[in-house]
Amino acid sequence: PNLILLDVRMSEMSGPEFLILLAKKRPDIVKDSPIVFLSATDKVPESIAVGFIRKPTSLDVFLKSVSRFIEMGPHNSQSQLH
């Protein structure tokens, strides 16, 4: 995938928990795709995610943020776009 977008808080498991599971089962996907968290808080857990998008946000800002993370690729340090 071009991007993996995970909400930090999901119903069955958290985004970080899902990411750990995905990394174990499909390390190829995690290695080759930028991972971005959605979060309503300013803090996200330490992980291999390249960054996060704070919510709520407008559709325009969200789409621009997603495009920037895709352009950055999977190997950049964690940053915030909002």
Side-chain angles (χ1 to χ4, degrees):
N2 293 330
L3 179 76
I4 298 171
L5 190 60
L6 297 170
D7 200 318
V8 171
R9 298 180 74 191
M10 299 188 297
S11 59
E12 295 297 318
M13 70 175 66
S14 71
E17 290 170 334
F18 178 81
L19 184 53
I20 291 168
L21 183 63
L22 182 63
K24 288 179 183 176
K25 293 190 178 234
R26 293 296 306 271
D28 56 314
I29 291 175
V30 171
K31 180 179 139 253
D32 296 334
S33 303
I35 299 159
V36 176
F37 285 121
L38 287 171
S39 178
T41 68
D42 290 336
K43 295 182 181 180
V44 292
E46 288 293 321
S47 71
I48 60 173
V50 296
F52 73 101
I53 299 170
R54 190 177 318 147
K55 60 181 186 174
T57 189
S58 69
L59 180 59
D60 184 53
V61 170
F62 175 78
L63 294 175
K64 286 178 184 176
S65 298
V66 166
S67 293
R68 288 180 69 195
F69 279 119
I70 291 171
E71 288 174 14
M72 287 171 49
H75 305 294
N76 289 298
S77 61
Q78 209 171 64
S79 65
Q80 168 192 352
L81 296 176
H82 52 102

